[in-house]
Every structure is written in structure tokens, then in C-alpha cells.
Amino acid sequence: MTLTTADADKILSANFAPWVLELGLSVEELGDRRALLRLPWSDRLAREGGSLSGQALMAAADTATVIAVSAARGAYGPMTTVQQSTTFQRAVADVLIEAVVTKLGRRMAFADITMTAEGTEGIAARASTVYALLG
């Protein structure tokens, strides 16, 4: 089954904690092993100086991974983060988060995430994640 952006938005609303939903993430695009989400600017997510906080970016990367893994599997299934590593390269206000599944096994999934300011190619942050697939 191929997921649509509407399917992915339903995955967000049905499976994430209220504080994650308050990030305001929206699914922009989906591919077979890829998801592109938008994290909009919000005063509540900002740190001193006006950039989005690292915690918000890490949560967005983690969430984007769930959507990308769901797209790769054709549906949502229970999963949990095993590892996430994030490097921050520059401040960003509005960000696009692209998660790409690099390996999908029966029990584990691996993804690389790139976060860029909208309208630029300059990378704001990168992350890598490992997920255990529970169902």
C-alpha cells in the first residue's frame, strides 16, 4: 500500500503525544522510503536569538523518521527509537525535515535526516536514527 500525505497526517494525529502535535508538523511529501515534513516557526519553540530550539528539531527528526518508515512499510506499525544522533550546523527558523530510510529490515530500520531552511540548500542540522520495529 502506498501512503498519501493525508494518511501520514492521520498517523501523526493518532499516534503521537499532544506535545509532539503542538510542534505543528505537516507532511509535505512522501516517497517509497522518504518523508518530507515542515516544522513552522513558533515563539514557543524558539530559543534566545529567534532560532528554533535543538529539542524541537530533534523531536521533528524523530517524528519524520516514523513517517518515512511507515511509508517504506506501506502502513504504520508500532516502533520505537533505539538511537538518535543529531548535529547542528546553523540556526534556522522555518525548517524542512527530510527523512530517508537507508535500511529496512524485519526488526530494525535506519534513517538519515536532513534539516534545511526553506528556500535554501544550506543544511541546518543532520540526524541519524535507528528504530526497532515492534509489529
Side-chain angles (χ1 to χ4, degrees):
M1 174 177 140
T2 301
L3 292 182
T4 66
T5 55
D7 295 329
D9 283 332
K10 287 178 187 172
I11 291 169
L12 281 174
S13 64
N15 296 286
F16 287 90
W19 70 267
V20 174
L21 299 178
E22 289 179 19
L23 293 172
L25 291 165
S26 60
V27 180
E28 300 287 311
E29 296 176 19
L30 286 175
D32 290 338
R33 296 172 82 87
R34 169 185 174 276
L36 182 69
L37 279 67
R38 176 183 308 276
L39 175 62
W41 163 256
S42 168
D43 285 336
R44 294 175 316 174
L45 304 177
R47 51 175 283 118
E48 210 172 293
S51 62
L52 289 171
S53 71
Q55 294 93 335
L57 293 173
M58 290 177 74
D62 193 54
T63 305
T65 300
V66 172
I67 301 302
V69 170
S70 296
R73 297 175 84 192
Y76 173 80
M79 62 186 91
T80 190
T81 311
V82 173
Q83 182 272 336
Q84 179 174 339
S85 177
T86 307
T87 57
F88 303 99
Q89 299 178 17
R90 64 180 218 164
V92 67
D94 291 307
V95 66
L96 293 173
I97 303 107
E98 181 178 35
V100 178
V101 176
T102 58
K103 182 176 180 176
L104 179 63
R106 287 185 326 114
R107 298 190 184 270
M108 302 291 283
F110 299 79
D112 289 329
I113 301 94
T114 305
M115 294 166 261
T116 57
E118 185 172 14
T120 71
E121 292 185 19
I123 294 172
R126 288 185 190 269
S128 63
T129 55
V130 180
Y131 268 71
L133 307 175
L134 306 173

